[in-house]
């Protein structure tokens, strides 16, 4: 190779590396991608090919050199020349107040500026850059020494192998957190699941485990990221800003990613506001955090404050209430719902988690209990994230009492002792008794009375149970037969509240068809389906008499719902209850439905002669659309004959029979009235 060629290749390699590094910087540090992935890959491939052909130009800080290192037998220990400190915690507002007070007292200041950061739930590492090149990466370990994980850290794409610019100090140790984004974590687990590999428990442990792989190739497969939050040793403080927030900007300019949530706040009020803001956005953040960190922003002030044992006096981690806690399952109860579904519910030793005290956690169904293998007496990890309902994440198997029996779904309904069934392919087990099961009957009444159904004010769960136990009601129709004295005689009731209930019942009689349908509690008929049914058919009778096929034709009603609706109205006792409800005066305004308004239902029309404004077929279609039957021959059963131009024998016959005859104008008027 001539000198010229060699110079050209070296130049191209340098250009490619600069381009790739720049793209990386935009992607990971500025969070603003500059090229499509395909273009990025193309650059990397070209570089890789050139380096293979001209190995004399390969260098350790080349973007091609992130992966490829051989597995090691163990990690070397590394001493941190500047101790990696830990953070003091504040668990509530009071503890944060005392932190702020301590700091202000010591500095004799009324208010001071804090750098506010999110507290990433990952693991702390140290990155050592010599003349801009990443030469060593180490875990925090015990703070004094950690493990040399350089080869693994080199595979993390958001960590630059070489710093950007030329004003970085000769020696710079950046410190920060390695973590995994929630989305990347979910995708990783999906991949694991597809491969039949083990599922990872949470992003934090996965990040920690990934950094401690002896084979860097395995680390490279994990979606690790890094955000810097400070520095360790530094050779010259010449280029050092005087504030922590400014230092982070400096690190960012040198190519190190920094959390975009970092900012400067003022005084305790600023801290509280930042905390509230982050808490509100916590679920939407791309990564998991377990709190926020406040650091006195001014380095001179930091120095005055100094350290106590292992933590700086100038920083505090204000932790969120934990989203996961340990507790014990006292028992697994079975609840029977309105539709007869048997739901296993774990009764827990009360535990404060995610900001509330949790005493129950649903286990959904038998398969779910089996999958998690939850048993009475088990110690479990309970999780309540955001406003999501609490769930049992896992059982701590080591703490399981000896001989604890596996959970079994009861073969008999715990409420009415009827047989239970689990349909093939279904997850739920159900009581077969239907409304004869008191649990289902009382749940059905609670649902019937609920606000979005019949809206019977004051008729809640407690009162329904009472009415039920006193055998005053067995079904929803019985409600409207209640007498003042009967209700007043119930515990904790009196004439006044009894009177209120009867008034509420009276009030509820004027309702809407869709509410009434929803109130009936037909399986698979929620509010939306009830509304669709009401609008489509327009009347209860049309819904009641609709065949399964007619129901299936309704948009948004599937075969299962159609079957349930049809089945419900084929059931004699359901119709009896409906008849009784109507007899007690339940009513609703008549509905006009657009598409299925059938004012001509039951009427038979015969068309004859030629129409000027439409074809006979069109006329036929329009009449049918309004529910009319259109017949070809005139008989006594014909209600109307439409006679166009040159009508013949059919018109004569109609006149003979004395039937109503409309001309074209009459037909048009009739259609216009309805369409
Ligand atoms: O995000 C974090 N997990 C985080 C951790 C952070 N934003 N700042 C931190 N600052 C420090 C000091 C003030 C001691 C330099 C930290 C940690 N330490 C830390 N992480 C693990 C142990 C200590």
């Amino acid at each position: 190779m001539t000198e010229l060629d060699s110079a050209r290749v070296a130049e191209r390699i340098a250009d490619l590396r600069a381009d790739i590094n720049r793209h990386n910087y935009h992607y990971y540090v500025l969070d603003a991608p500059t090229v499509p992935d395909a273009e990025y890959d193309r650059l990397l491939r070209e570089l890789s090919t050139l380096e293979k052909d001209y190995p004399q130009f390969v260098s350790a800080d080349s973007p091609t050199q992130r992966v490829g290192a051989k597995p090691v037998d163990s990690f070397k220990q590394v001493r941190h020349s500047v101790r990696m400190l830990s953070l003091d915690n504040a668990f509530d507002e009071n503890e944060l107040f005392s932190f702020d007070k301590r700091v202000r007292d010591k500095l004799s200041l009324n208010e001071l500026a804090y750098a506010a950061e999110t507290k990433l739930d990952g693991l702390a590492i140290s990155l050592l850059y010599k003349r801009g090149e990443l030469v060593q990466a180490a875990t925090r370990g015990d703070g004094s020494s950690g493990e040399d994980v350089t080869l693994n850290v080199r595979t993390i794409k958001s960590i630059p192998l070489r710093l950007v610019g030329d004003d970085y100090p000769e020696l710079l140790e950046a410190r920060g957190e390695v973590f995994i984004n929630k989305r990347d974590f979910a995708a990783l687990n999906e991949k694991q699941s597809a491969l039949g590999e083990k599922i990872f428990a949470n992003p934090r442990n996965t990040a920690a485990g990934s950094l401690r792989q002896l084979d860097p190739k395995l680390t490279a497969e994990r979606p690790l990221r890094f955000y810097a939050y400070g520095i360790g040793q530094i050779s010259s403080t010449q280029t050092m800003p005087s504030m922590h927030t400014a230092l982070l900007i400096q690190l960012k300019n040198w190519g190190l990613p920094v959390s975009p949530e970092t900012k400067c706040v003022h005084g305790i009020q600023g801290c509280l506001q930042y905390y509230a803001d982050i808490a509100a956005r916590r679920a939407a953040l791309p990564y998991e955090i377990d709190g926020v960190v406040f650091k006195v922003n001014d380095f001179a002030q930091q120095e005055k404050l100094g350290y106590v044992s292992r933590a700086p006096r100038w920083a505090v981690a204000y932790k969120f209430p934990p989203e996961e806690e340990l507790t014990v399952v006292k028992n697994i109860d079975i609840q029977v719902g309105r539709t007869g579904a048997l739901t296993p519910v774990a009764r827990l030793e009360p535990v404060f988690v995610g900001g509330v005290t949790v005493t129950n956690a649903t286990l959904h169904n038998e398969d779910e209990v089996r999958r998690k293998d939850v048993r009475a007496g088990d110690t479990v990890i309970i999780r309540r994230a955001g406003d999501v309902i609490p769930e049992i994440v896992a059982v701590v198997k080591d703490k399981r009492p000896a001989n604890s029996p596996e959970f079994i779904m009861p073969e008999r309904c715990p409420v009415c002792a009827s047989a239970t069934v689990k349909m093939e392919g279904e997850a739920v087990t159900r009581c077969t008794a239907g409304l004869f099961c008191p649990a289902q009957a009382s749940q059905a009444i609670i649902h019937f009375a609920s606000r979005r159904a019949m809206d019977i004010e004051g008729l809640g769960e407690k009162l329904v149970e009472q009415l039920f136990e006193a055998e005053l009601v067995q079904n929803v129709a019985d409600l409207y037969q209640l007498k003042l004295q009967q209700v007043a005689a119930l515990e904790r009731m009196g004439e006044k509240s009894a009177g209120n209930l009867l008034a509420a019942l009276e009030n509820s009689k004027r309702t809407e068809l869709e509410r009434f349908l929803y109130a009936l509690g037909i399986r698979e008929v929620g509010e939306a389906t009830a509304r669709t049914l009401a609008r489509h058919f327009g009347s209860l009778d049309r819904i009641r008499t609709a065949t399964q096929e007619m129901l299936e034709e309704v948009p948004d009603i599937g075969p299962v719902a159609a079957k349930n609706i049809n089945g419900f109205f084929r059931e004699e006792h359901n119709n009896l209850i409906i008849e009784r409800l109507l007899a007690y005066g339940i009513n609703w305004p008549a509905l006009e439905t657009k598409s299925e308004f059938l004012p001509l239902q039951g009427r038979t029309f015969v068309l004859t002669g030629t129409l000027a404004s439409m074809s006979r077929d069109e006329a036929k279609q329009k009449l049918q659309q309004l529910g009319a039957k259109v017949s070809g021959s005139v008989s006594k059963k014909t209600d109307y004959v439409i006679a166009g131009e040159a009508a013949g024998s059919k018109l004569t016959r109609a006149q003979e029979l004395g039937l109503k005859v409309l001309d074209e104008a009459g037909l048009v008027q009739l259609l216009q009235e309805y369409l």
Side-chain angles (χ1 to χ4, degrees):
M1 186 162 64
T2 67
E3 207 132 304
L4 188 67
D5 283 344
S6 163
R8 273 229 187 99
V9 168
E11 200 180 320
R12 180 66 189 149
I13 284 178
D15 281 353
L16 283 167
R17 284 177 189 164
D19 276 355
I20 292 165
N21 285 336
R22 190 165 43 82
H23 294 320
N24 255 350
Y25 178 65
H26 279 269
Y27 188 87
Y28 289 107
V29 182
L30 303 182
D31 198 16
T34 36
V35 285
D37 289 354
E39 169 66 3
Y40 180 87
D41 292 343
R42 202 191 59 73
L43 296 173
L44 206 58
R45 268 200 310 276
E46 183 184 344
L47 177 62
S48 174
T49 309
L50 279 178
E51 288 178 350
K52 212 176 275 153
D53 293 344
Y54 304 94
Q56 68 270 36
F57 296 131
V58 175
S59 78
D61 66 352
S62 171
T64 58
Q65 302 301 302
R66 287 190 179 273
V67 238
K70 295 225 159 51
V72 294
D73 294 329
S74 65
F75 297 113
K76 244 184 13 201
Q77 285 287 310
V78 176
R79 269 204 88 71
H80 299 297
S81 59
V82 178
R83 245 184 98 80
M84 285 185 86
L85 299 168
S86 57
L87 279 166
D88 262 347
N89 291 315
F91 289 104
D92 57 39
E93 222 171 86
N94 283 336
E95 294 183 9
L96 186 69
F97 274 112
S98 20
F99 162 78
D100 176 59
K101 184 163 177 1
R102 254 194 332 269
V103 169
R104 284 186 294 110
D105 285 353
K106 192 132 179 135
L107 296 173
S108 311
L109 285 171
N110 283 327
E111 192 191 277
L112 65 162
Y114 291 105
E117 303 170 359
T118 50
K119 187 169 182 299
L120 291 153
D121 205 3
L123 74 155
I125 59 156
S126 139
L127 306 174
L128 190 61
Y129 288 89
K130 239 183 215 158
R131 278 177 230 102
E133 196 181 322
L134 175 68
V135 292
Q136 186 184 77
T139 61
R140 176 171 175 276
D142 63 1
S144 310
S145 59
E147 287 174 325
D148 185 336
V149 287
T150 312
L151 295 178
N152 288 342
V153 164
R154 286 176 59 93
T155 69
I156 302 174
K157 294 203 200 73
S158 57
I159 293 180
L161 298 179
R162 159 158 292 284
L163 296 177
V164 172
D166 50 18
D167 62 343
Y168 44 76
E170 161 109 3
L171 203 67
L172 173 71
E173 181 192 352
R175 289 176 177 179
E177 203 84 356
V178 167
F179 63 98
I180 297 180
N181 269 357
K182 294 184 220 173
R183 262 201 177 154
D184 291 341
F185 178 73
L188 175 66
N189 262 348
E190 257 167 47
K191 199 172 86 186
Q192 291 290 108
S193 162
L195 294 172
E197 301 276 340
K198 81 160 198 217
I199 302 298
F200 297 106
N202 59 54
R204 206 211 91 83
N205 291 352
T206 312
S210 303
L211 262 198
R212 301 200 67 261
Q213 292 297 325
L214 293 169
D215 183 355
K217 278 199 191 63
L218 292 177
T219 312
E221 285 166 15
R222 309 283 168 79
L224 300 175
R225 288 175 188 258
F226 172 82
Y227 275 149
Y229 58 66
I231 57 169
Q233 54 174 321
I234 183 164
S235 55
S236 123
T237 48
Q238 235 178 13
T239 43
M240 271 270 285
S242 62
M243 301 277 174
H244 180 74
T245 42
L247 168 72
L248 294 183
I249 293 172
Q250 176 68 269
L251 292 179
K252 195 169 156 173
N253 290 335
W254 285 332
L256 290 154
V258 171
S259 164
E261 304 300 337
T262 304
K263 60 180 179 185
C264 179
V265 300
H266 296 274
I268 185 81
Q269 285 312 318
C271 292
L272 291 175
Q273 219 171 342
Y274 180 83
Y275 176 83
D277 171 53
I278 295 293
R281 293 194 295 116
R282 183 181 187 183
L285 290 177
Y287 39 78
E288 288 196 349
I289 57 174
D290 58 353
V292 294
V293 184
F294 299 116
K295 300 173 181 175
V296 170
N297 204 17
D298 188 310
F299 288 132
Q301 291 174 347
Q302 283 187 7
E303 199 148 344
K304 271 193 209 140
L305 289 160
Y307 308 81
V308 266
S309 69
R310 295 151 159 259
R313 274 211 203 85
W314 43 264
V316 70
Y318 187 13
K319 298 286 267 292
F320 290 135
E323 290 184 325
E324 286 187 2
E325 280 293 354
L326 286 180
T327 191
V328 173
V329 176
K330 291 193 291 191
N331 211 347
I332 300 178
D333 277 357
I334 303 290
Q335 277 179 352
V336 185
R338 177 164 63 81
T339 60
L342 270 62
T343 307
V345 177
R347 305 291 179 202
L348 308 168
E349 281 300 343
V351 60
F352 192 72
V353 57
V356 300
T357 301
V358 175
T359 49
N360 302 311
T362 178
L363 287 161
H364 303 288
N365 55 53
E366 187 177 17
D367 298 346
E368 177 85 354
V369 188
R370 283 274 155 73
R371 193 172 64 76
K372 291 181 174 166
D373 188 17
V374 182
R375 307 181 187 188
D378 271 347
T379 298
V380 292
I381 300 170
I382 178 112
R383 180 176 173 82
R384 181 184 180 271
D387 286 328
V388 181
I389 58 164
E391 58 158 353
I392 290 176
V393 181
V395 172
V396 184
K397 293 272 166 68
D398 302 349
K399 297 199 175 174
R400 171 168 289 167
N403 307 322
S404 84
E406 210 176 306
F407 170 82
I408 25 175
M409 207 62 176
E411 283 170 20
R412 302 243 148 226
C413 170
V415 176
C416 73
S418 304
T420 62
V421 283
K422 190 173 161 195
M423 295 297 181
E424 202 162 295
E426 261 200 66
V428 274
T429 306
R430 286 180 205 278
C431 163
T432 51
L435 289 178
F436 302 110
C437 170
Q440 291 176 65
S442 64
Q443 288 300 318
I445 295 171
I446 293 165
H447 170 76
F448 183 83
S450 65
R451 202 171 55 76
R452 310 184 72 101
M454 296 300 281
D455 193 18
I456 306 172
E457 230 182 289
L459 186 54
E461 205 161 321
K462 279 256 158 57
L463 188 47
V464 170
E465 302 291 355
Q466 270 181 290
L467 290 167
F468 218 82
E469 266 161 41
E471 294 186 13
L472 292 177
V473 295
Q474 261 101 52
N475 58 55
V476 295
D478 294 344
L479 288 172
Y480 293 94
Q481 271 190 315
L482 286 170
K483 301 282 178 295
L484 189 76
Q485 288 320 314
Q486 297 176 315
V487 182
L490 294 173
E491 230 176 280
R492 287 186 309 276
M493 290 293 278
E495 293 247 333
K496 185 149 184 293
S497 24
N500 288 343
L501 177 67
L502 293 201
L505 280 160
E506 197 53 40
N507 261 333
S508 73
K509 288 183 182 172
R510 182 77 180 152
T511 184
E512 287 160 355
L513 176 55
E514 58 186 72
R515 276 177 176 268
F516 182 72
L517 283 172
Y518 171 61
L520 290 176
I522 306 165
R523 210 185 284 170
E524 298 266 330
V525 179
E527 281 180 277
T529 306
R531 191 172 315 124
T532 307
L533 281 172
R535 300 220 174 133
H536 187 90
F537 290 100
S539 83
L540 178 63
D541 271 336
R542 271 187 228 119
I543 299 169
R544 275 215 273 192
T545 51
T547 61
Q548 180 158 340
E549 291 72 39
M550 285 160 81
L551 289 162
E552 279 185 42
E553 275 170 24
V554 182
D556 299 332
I557 291 185
V560 178
K563 192 167 172 219
N564 286 330
I565 297 161
N566 192 253
F568 183 89
F569 290 115
R570 298 284 82 75
E571 200 70 67
E572 204 45 48
H573 61 257
N574 289 336
N575 282 315
L576 270 172
I577 286 176
I578 291 172
E579 288 310 330
R580 279 178 62 201
L581 288 170
L582 297 177
Y584 294 137
I586 287 187
N587 69 96
W588 50 82
L591 273 181
E592 278 189 33
T593 57
K594 264 222 166 62
S595 57
E596 291 292 320
F597 181 45
L598 305 171
L600 301 180
Q601 194 167 48
R603 301 290 148 95
T604 306
F605 283 69
V606 173
L607 291 161
T608 178
T610 328
L611 300 169
S613 57
M614 65 187 102
S615 71
R616 282 235 298 266
D617 250 329
E618 269 177 84
K620 184 175 168 184
Q621 244 180 19
K622 286 186 174 158
L623 287 166
Q624 282 175 336
Q625 207 182 325
L626 295 169
K629 195 172 152 214
V630 179
S631 161
S633 59
V634 177
S635 75
K636 275 188 289 187
K637 285 186 192 151
T638 309
D639 294 291
Y640 290 92
V641 173
I642 309 290
E645 274 300 302
S649 60
K650 286 183 189 166
L651 175 59
T652 320
R653 174 110 178 96
Q655 282 160 344
E656 280 168 16
L657 289 169
L659 303 175
K660 284 181 217 142
V661 177
L662 289 178
D663 60 7
E664 183 168 359
L667 171 69
V668 170
Q669 199 185 349
L670 180 86
L671 293 176
Q672 266 171 357
E673 211 168 294
Y674 292 129
L675 284 176

